Amino acid sequence: MADTYDLIVLGSGPGGYVAAIRAAQLGLKVAIVERELLGGICLNWGCIPTKALLRSAEIFHYMRHAKDYGLAAEKISADIDAVVKRSRGVAKQLNQGVTHLMKKNKIVVHMGTGKLTGKGKLTVTDKDGKTTELSAKNIIVATGARARDFPGVPADGKRVWTYRHAMTPPEMPKKLLVIGSGAIGIEFASFYNDMGAEVTVVEMLDRIVPVEDADVSAFLEKALTKQGMTIMTKAGVDKIEVGASGVKATIKDKDGKVATTDFSHVIVAIGIVPNTADIGLEALGVETDRGFLKTDAMCKTNVDGIYAIGDITAPPWLAHKASHEGVIAAEAIAGKHPHAMDPLNIPGCTYCHPQVASVGLTEAKAKEAGYEVKVGNFPFIGNGKAIALGEAEGFVKTVFDAKTGELLGAHMVGAEVTELIQGYTVGKTGELTEAEFMETVFPHPTLSEMMHESVLGAYGRAIHI
Ligand SMILES: Cc1cc2nc3c(=O)[nH]c(=O)nc-3n(C[C@H](O)[C@H](O)[C@H](O)COP(=O)(O)OP(=O)(O)OC[C@H]3O[C@@H](n4cnc5c(N)ncnc54)[C@H](O)[C@@H]3O)c2cc1C
């Protein structure tokens, strides 16, 4: 006899565990199935441990610049093993937190690999090969994604790293090649650069962090280059040859010139592959689009009773998007009528140094969509708090619909912008116009005042510039 539930959630990342909790809150009997670690990639191998690493790098950076603040820090050094140990400790703490939340919400946890065996049926195979049959009217698939390998060169964890290896490095890289300049590539490039490695980033497109506003990409490239990084855009890695003591990479630069360079290590950050194989989806006829599961606004697939959320579905592949979808799916299953999520209201953050954060349309995309725009752009140098912090580099850019005053997008680069973006996200979700932003009182002295100034600037009213 199968263990019967109202809902089975397959995968316990920020999509799956949040869906399970919301469903339990709504009175459903819920089981969750996880083959590795509760909390998924995000808190074990993604968002959280990288932020712990980046925090160490940030403190190391400030220690090196202690003099700028009237302080002395002598004989400073970094111990990569200790930095990694701290990061793993942070991940472990959060993994235990999710374990506690499952218990608190009376969610039954099945540790093992899950496979859908029919409509409403799922088999879990644990590490000893023991199987358990589960059944439920509804199943949420939240199995996430994994790193995409460089073609023909699988990551070996020694010289060629995915994010997992980069997070638990066997040693500090001396000369590091990072392939791909999306959020993951740039965060590791920034971490290892701050920690003292010689870093080269190769990006195929014409600018780094290519989903961001072009002004942000240009500013970041300048800032990272000033910090000593080599950035190659419109460039491609043609070949990687792995040796015992390093890697030879053949790179074609933007002018078509091909050169082979030695690196001690390579991080491959060229995208993700959804975990759709061997979980029984094909047999059930679940539709995909370029490998990712297709869902409607309530996160339902084309098959009744099967929902999908998070990285296994369409982009953006972000933890908060996965969690939000988890809530939508759980509420829809419980017979509620949740709001659909607007992709343009999902913020994105990159925790490099300086940080990047954005929500909504870039200036170029807004124009492409036919909007006549008003643009505000306020620099950190015009903000008292930024100067007091010794962080006077960066800007806050806002894009408004000139006709209606609707905020179409906000784009920031500089210290702590990942903490600021939520102000604009709330405004966008509430469909606020420039008038409400202008009437809002921003506390002084804060970096958030730049958000006010950027809006004022879009309408020719900025005060401090
Ligand atoms: C290095 C790095 C840094 C990142 N930083 C950020 C960030 O700062 N902010 C942000 O928003 N996002 C970040 N992300 C992305 C974020 O981690 C993902 O978007 C998020 O984890 C997706 O959540 P999910 O629930 O869809 O899947 P996952 O978190 O991938 O969880 C899926 C879970 O399903 C399990 N699973 C898979 N198949 C099976 C099976 N057959 N049976 C049982 N269990 C299974 C897996 O073991 C895994 O635990 C980062 C990612 C990486 C790699």
Side-chain angles (χ1 to χ4, degrees), residues 10-16 33-48 50-51 112-115 142-145 163-164 167 184 187-188 275 277-279 309-312 316-322 349 351:
L10 181 58
S12 74
V33 181
E34 173 55 55
R35 67 179 178 193
E36 194 189 348
L37 288 167
L38 287 177
I41 295 302
C42 168
L43 61 86
N44 294 293
W45 294 105
C47 325
I48 300 293
T50 47
K51 272 58 257 179
T113 301
K115 181 169 181 166
T143 48
Y163 58 79
R164 287 202 188 214
M167 223 172 289
I184 294 174
E187 284 187 4
F188 280 117
N275 294 325
D278 297 329
I279 50 174
I309 58 173
D311 278 12
I312 199 174
W317 297 302
L318 295 167
H320 40 283
K321 178 257 192 186
C349 298
Y351 298 74

Side-chain angles (χ1 to χ4, degrees), residues 10 55 90 226 252 267 282 331 340 422 446 464-465:
L10 181 58
R55 176 69 168 156
V90 170
K226 204 167 131 196
K252 188 193 270 178
I267 295 176
E282 299 90 346
E331 292 187 352
Q422 194 55 10
T446 62
H464 293 95
I465 189 147

Side-chain angles (χ1 to χ4, degrees), residues 442-457:
F442 287 74
H444 176 78
T446 62
L447 298 174
S448 75
E449 288 171 282
M450 290 185 283
M451 297 168 67
H452 197 207
E453 291 273 23
S454 179
V455 176
L456 292 169

Side-chain angles (χ1 to χ4, degrees), residues 249-455:
T250 305
I251 304 171
K252 188 193 270 178
D253 74 10
K254 62 177 184 319
D255 304 316
K257 215 176 97 205
V258 179
T260 300
T261 310
D262 289 311
F263 294 92
S264 64
H265 301 83
V266 180
I267 295 176
V268 180
I270 55 174
I272 57 167
V273 184
N275 294 325
T276 48
D278 297 329
I279 50 174
L281 296 171
E282 299 90 346
L284 286 164
V286 179
E287 275 176 18
T288 57
D289 178 13
R290 277 160 282 190
F292 293 87
L293 301 193
K294 263 167 85 169
T295 52
D296 67 15
M298 293 296 112
C299 305
K300 199 165 124 357
T301 68
N302 61 310
V303 178
D304 269 351
I306 302 185
Y307 290 72
I309 58 173
D311 278 12
I312 199 174
T313 66
W317 297 302
L318 295 167
H320 40 283
K321 178 257 192 186
S323 298
H324 210 86
E325 286 180 336
V327 170
I328 290 173
E331 292 187 352
I333 288 167
K336 306 274 172 206
H337 301 284
H339 280 285
M341 183 168 40
D342 180 349
L344 288 176
N345 289 343
I346 304 173
C349 298
T350 305
Y351 298 74
C352 47
H353 166 221
Q355 295 182 356
V356 171
S358 62
V359 65
L361 294 174
T362 62
E363 183 180 354
K365 288 263 181 242
K367 285 178 178 164
E368 246 173 69
Y371 287 103
E372 190 192 319
V373 297
K374 277 193 184 293
V375 175
N377 196 330
F378 191 83
F380 271 52
I381 191 75
N383 177 265
K385 179 72 181 289
I387 295 171
L389 291 178
E391 296 285 359
E393 283 186 13
F395 63 81
V396 175
K397 175 172 176 176
T398 43
V399 182
F400 288 89
D401 178 350
K403 285 205 182 98
T404 64
E406 183 192 351
L407 178 67
L408 300 173
H411 310 276
M412 314 183 184
V413 56
E416 299 305 335
V417 294
T418 57
E419 294 294 337
L420 298 181
I421 194 65
Q422 194 55 10
Y424 285 137
T425 307
V426 171
K428 260 187 88 8
T429 305
E431 295 179 1
L432 303 190
T433 68
E434 90 288 0
E436 290 84 19
F437 284 110
M438 285 183 186
E439 283 162 23
T440 300
V441 182
F442 287 74
H444 176 78
T446 62
L447 298 174
S448 75
E449 288 171 282
M450 290 185 283
M451 297 168 67
H452 197 207
E453 291 273 23
S454 179
V455 176

Side-chain angles (χ1 to χ4, degrees), residues 105-357:
N105 287 283
K106 301 190 174 45
I107 295 159
V108 181
V109 176
H110 292 271
M111 291 307 293
T113 301
K115 181 169 181 166
L116 283 85
T117 48
K119 253 191 161 179
K121 287 187 185 152
L122 194 142
T123 301
V124 186
T125 308
D126 74 11
K127 60 178 183 345
D128 303 319
K130 192 179 142 239
T131 59
T132 309
E133 306 295 327
L134 311 182
S135 73
K137 195 165 166 222
N138 289 291
I139 295 176
I140 297 178
V141 183
T143 48
R146 60 189 183 281
R148 184 179 293 281
D149 272 327
F150 188 85
V153 189
D156 61 5
K158 290 182 187 133
R159 297 288 157 193
V160 183
W161 297 350
T162 65
Y163 58 79
R164 287 202 188 214
H165 309 118
M167 223 172 289
T168 50
E171 70 256 323
M172 177 69 194
K174 281 197 172 62
K175 196 170 171 198
L176 176 67
L177 170 65
V178 178
I179 311 177
S181 77
I184 294 174
I186 282 293
E187 284 187 4
F188 280 117
S190 184
F191 169 71
Y192 281 114
N193 190 60
D194 268 341
M195 293 295 289
E198 190 185 330
V199 178
T200 299
V201 177
V202 174
E203 168 58 53
M204 204 170 70
L205 297 176
D206 61 354
R207 56 196 178 87
I208 57 167
V209 287
V211 298
E212 301 295 342
D213 191 275
D215 288 348
V216 169
S217 297
F219 184 94
L220 187 66
E221 180 171 341
K222 236 178 164 175
L224 296 179
T225 306
K226 204 167 131 196
Q227 289 171 29
M229 235 184 253
T230 302
I231 307 248
M232 301 175 72
T233 51
K234 270 187 162 175
V237 177
D238 287 348
K239 199 160 101 187
I240 296 175
E241 290 165 90
V242 185
S245 59
V247 169
K248 280 189 191 305
T250 305
I251 304 171
K252 188 193 270 178
D253 74 10
K254 62 177 184 319
D255 304 316
K257 215 176 97 205
V258 179
T260 300
T261 310
D262 289 311
F263 294 92
S264 64
H265 301 83
V266 180
I267 295 176
V268 180
I270 55 174
I272 57 167
V273 184
N275 294 325
T276 48
D278 297 329
I279 50 174
L281 296 171
E282 299 90 346
L284 286 164
V286 179
E287 275 176 18
T288 57
D289 178 13
R290 277 160 282 190
F292 293 87
L293 301 193
K294 263 167 85 169
T295 52
D296 67 15
M298 293 296 112
C299 305
K300 199 165 124 357
T301 68
N302 61 310
V303 178
D304 269 351
I306 302 185
Y307 290 72
I309 58 173
D311 278 12
I312 199 174
T313 66
W317 297 302
L318 295 167
H320 40 283
K321 178 257 192 186
S323 298
H324 210 86
E325 286 180 336
V327 170
I328 290 173
E331 292 187 352
I333 288 167
K336 306 274 172 206
H337 301 284
H339 280 285
M341 183 168 40
D342 180 349
L344 288 176
N345 289 343
I346 304 173
C349 298
T350 305
Y351 298 74
C352 47
H353 166 221
Q355 295 182 356
V356 171

